[in-house]
Amino acid sequence: MEPCEAFDYDILVVGAGGAGLRAVIAAREAGCRVGVVCKSLLGKAHTVMAEGGVAAALGNMVSSDGELEPDGWETHFVDTMKGGAFLNNWRMVEIFAHEAIDRVFELEQYGAVFDRTPEGRIAQRPFGGHKYRRLNHVGDRTGLELIRTVQDKAVGAGMDVHMEVTLVRLLTAGGVVVGALGYHRETGRFVTFRAKAVVLATGGWGRMFRFTSNSWEGTGDGVTLAYEAGAELIDMEMMQFHPTGMIWPPGMRGILVTEGVRGEGGILRNSRGERFMFKPEYMPELYRGQFAESEQEAAGWLDDKKRFRRPPELLPRDVVSRAIYREVKAGNGCEHGGVFLDVSQRGAEYIKAKLPSMYDQFHALGDVDITVEPMEVYPTVHYTMGGIRVDPETAAATVPGLFAAGEVAGGLHGANRLGGNSLSDILVFGRRAGDGAAAWAAGKSLAELDPAQIADGQEQMLKPLGKSGGESPYALHAELQETMQQNAMIAREEAGLKIALDKVRELQKRAEGLAAPGGREYNPGWHATRDLVSMLTVSEIIVLCALERKESRGAQWRIDFPERDDAGWGTKNLVVHRRDGQPAVVESPLPAMPEHLKALFQEH
Amino acid sequence: MESITLHVFRGAHGVGSLTDYEVPVTPGMVVLDAIHYIQAHTDGTLACRWNCKAAKCGSCSAEINGVPGLLCKTRVDLFPEGDIAVGPMRTFPHVRDLVTDVSWNYRVNARIPPLRPDPARGGAPFDLQQEDVERVQEFRKCIECFLCQDVCHVLREHQRTDAFFGPRQMCRIAGLEMHPMDTLDRRQQLHNEAGVAYCNITKCCTEVCPEHIHITDNAIIPMKERVVDSYFDPVAGILRKIGVLQRQPRQKAAGDAAPATTIHSPPKSAD
Ligand SMILES: Cc1cc2nc3c(=O)[nH]c(=O)nc-3n(C[C@H](O)[C@H](O)[C@H](O)COP(=O)(O)OP(=O)(O)OC[C@H]3O[C@@H](n4cnc5c(N)ncnc54)[C@H](O)[C@@H]3O)c2cc1C
Ligand code: SF4
Ligand code: SF4
Ligand code: FES
């Protein structure tokens, strides 16, 4: 074992996105000593990239008749369950819809500066799957406002920050999580942490696909660490494909075009000029009758949300993604293989005020002026509904001492997440994880770390270093992206998924022989070898679960099982845990929803 | 333009030189794409920070042909002759290749007290008009790329990191100072440890800000005026002394408290 730096905390928070930082604030308020580690610099997590808004049923918006929209947690609950195709854990959704409101007010108290309504309240915009205007926002940089607010608050509350430290192993003692091993990206030297509780807030994973809105961080480290420590994962087949990623120019491929564009009136058209979302075959039974049925009605909705129904572009993301996929497949795509998204009819002034960074991004990078011409878009891998299985009340994972919150946790969003629900998720459950971890840590003492686990973790990490002649992590990563993109993305079927499974397992074997030339100091090629291990672990699990769920529901679209099977698959989640070193997929019945919550579906 | 030659600074702790790389060009390519191409195809050890690739996170700051900018927002076709030199930001201690140690910025930031709303006016939700918040929103657009810090001569040439918080933190303080709900008196901190007087309004910071924040005009100059009014205005000083003018429309003074947060840096190793 190589000697290394060591730190002791009551609570170690892994990840400094919104979920991690909100957990820090809660744990500090409970009087704990808190350390936080993150792979990047502070404030650069995925949360900073979120654009559209944070969903909470404040009910601030006034309708054309002068009345406030009758939004409330009940409607948010119903919308979230419907959007998730009822695979969600009802209790998590109930807590979420309730608490999101206070978490947003609290942000304002901490210093967030939201856009305002003419009456002086927080302004809300419409988003897919939300019945009322519900996304509290700051132009199209809501994530920046959110992360900076909790970052400043957490800094003020006091924490130990370890930036650019990647954790590679959770350390256990008698099956309880008691610490972690990581390395400094800058020096390549190891560091260990002892803690009474560990909160994982490591975000999602999209980097195993070729088109993704995720940064280099989205490799699934956290979910892999938890799985290796024995925790259960849930709903891992449910990857969200955001309908509108940029498709042109190639350098911009996958980068997100916020749903806010459609919320502000953006129209989808195919190369024949058809506004294809009006085609009846794209309208799911569940939503029939709730959306505009003509272009006139959709246009009317822009100014009068009460009298007119919303445009079908605002159906949930899984629905719109599939429609775009089918249009392109049917030969109705644009030259670069996507469809057109046009918001120009709203006029230059409005667009620049409401969507300033979208305007800038297309103008500077794509040579497209979105105030006069359409954007070209195609679905991009965006978000992970599945993740670490947690207790709704405390965010505890199924391994003692471990807690998880934010995108890395599963259960809240079911088979599909509604836009804006992640930013409120990370606040609600980030706080609960901080509280849960503090309660667990109370009265406990720090445990001794097992030198054998540390030595093994170090050895695994150092194996590819300085080796020449082995395989390059970049090349393997490209192969992985290709197979996942081809076989495990939007449209899945058994044959393709089996190809992907074989390929992933082949890559796992080849990854044993990875080589990273160079030294230990800030060596991205070496870091990539470890990221690849996480991606391969997670990819195998995604494919196994996608193979297992033989139906189409939410983000899981099986071409060979195109129907939604409510009586069968609709009653259970898929849960994965490690058995004999291999992922084992088991079915787990959905908890039954109490009658008073069921009744909400009649009224809302 | 089918390919470009990138001259990238390679080396560690300030010692190094430019290395040339040939990179094929694709439509809309940005300098960060070229760096990624080199990492994947030529040399995986090339160190560079990035996250969003969409000018939102402020990770990929560097100097491109000597001009501080974001690698992900700088298109290669801006340089039709196809020669592009890329180096690290020069104001901060060099780590490796394009990576610098920017932790000082976080340490300074930790000294700035967060918003303190007036409890007497009740908690959030607040009642605020768009006009009340727009001024503050400008400063809150900051993505913490630290390009303004990189270019500010007080920090770059004179290395007065001991005396001046720099333009980024001036934005942060302005966003708090001008927040309609804040009750802290931040002038003392601005005058003392933040060193607002060191800025001599060259506006270099404003020129490089990728978020187009009017750092000098909208943040620094108004704050300088406020500090001057309270510290150096002789009339106000006399009136205050004889008790006519009370210097406390706001409550408590901010600053000079030890920050509660520690930003750790890895111990420097020999190799
Ligand atoms: C482009 C884009 C736009 C979006 N827009 C919206 C929106 O409008 N509304 C909405 O609700 N949601 C949106 N989302 C989703 C939302 O931003 C994310 O789901 C959410 O921010 C996740 O927050 P988090 O705190 O769980 O994780 P993240 O913000 O992803 O943070 C993860 C943290 O974990 C750290 N970490 C990861 N692995 C390790 C490791 N091995 N060791 C140490 N640290 C590690 C990372 O460094 C990082 O600090 C968007 C996402 C993207 C990518
Ligand atoms: S205007 Fe002031 S802060 Fe900005 S670069 Fe010049 S001296 Fe520095
Ligand atoms: S003020 Fe502008 S230049 Fe300075 S750190 Fe912020 S975004 Fe970057
Ligand atoms: S990578 Fe985020 S600003 Fe360039």
Side-chain angles (χ1 to χ4, degrees), chain A residues 482-538:
Chain A
E482 198 52 45
T483 193
M484 293 298 280
Q485 182 81 24
Q486 289 301 324
N487 302 306
M489 216 178 111
I490 285 197
R492 298 165 166 176
E493 61 184 325
E494 182 164 312
L497 288 167
K498 284 193 164 150
I499 294 174
L501 187 62
D502 289 343
K503 183 72 187 180
V504 169
R505 288 182 171 157
E506 174 209 316
L507 291 171
Q508 284 175 341
K509 287 213 186 66
R510 284 165 57 193
E512 301 279 326
L514 282 177
R520 283 171 81 158
E521 258 188 22
Y522 223 114
N523 180 349
W526 178 39
H527 305 160
T529 61
R530 170 65 214 189
D531 296 342
L532 186 67
V533 170
S534 298
M535 281 189 280
L536 287 168
T537 307
V538 178

Side-chain angles (χ1 to χ4, degrees), chain A residues 136 142 161 169 229 266 276 292 309 405 424 455 535 537 551-552 558 576 584 589:
Chain A
N136 309 282
T142 313
V161 182
R169 169 106 31 139
F276 57 86
R309 290 172 297 179
S424 27
M535 281 189 280
T537 307
E551 67 154 350
S552 293
R558 285 284 299 258
V576 181

Side-chain angles (χ1 to χ4, degrees), chain B residues 148-149 151-155 164 166-168 170 196 198-206 215-217 220 224:
Chain B
C148 56
Q149 308 280 80
V151 85
C152 173
H153 68 104
V154 183
L155 305 173
F164 183 43
R168 152 60 191 142
M170 293 299 136
V196 69
Y198 278 87
C199 163
N200 53 2
I201 318 187
T202 58
K203 301 199 185 183
C204 315
C205 51
T206 305
I215 308 172
T216 330
D217 286 347
I220 300 180
K224 269 178 172 288

Side-chain angles (χ1 to χ4, degrees), chain B residues 142-148 168 171 205 208-211 213 215:
Chain B
C142 169
I143 58 173
E144 296 198 329
C145 64
F146 308 129
L147 288 169
C148 56
R168 152 60 191 142
C171 278
C205 51
V208 298
C209 176
E211 285 295 318
I213 302 170
I215 308 172

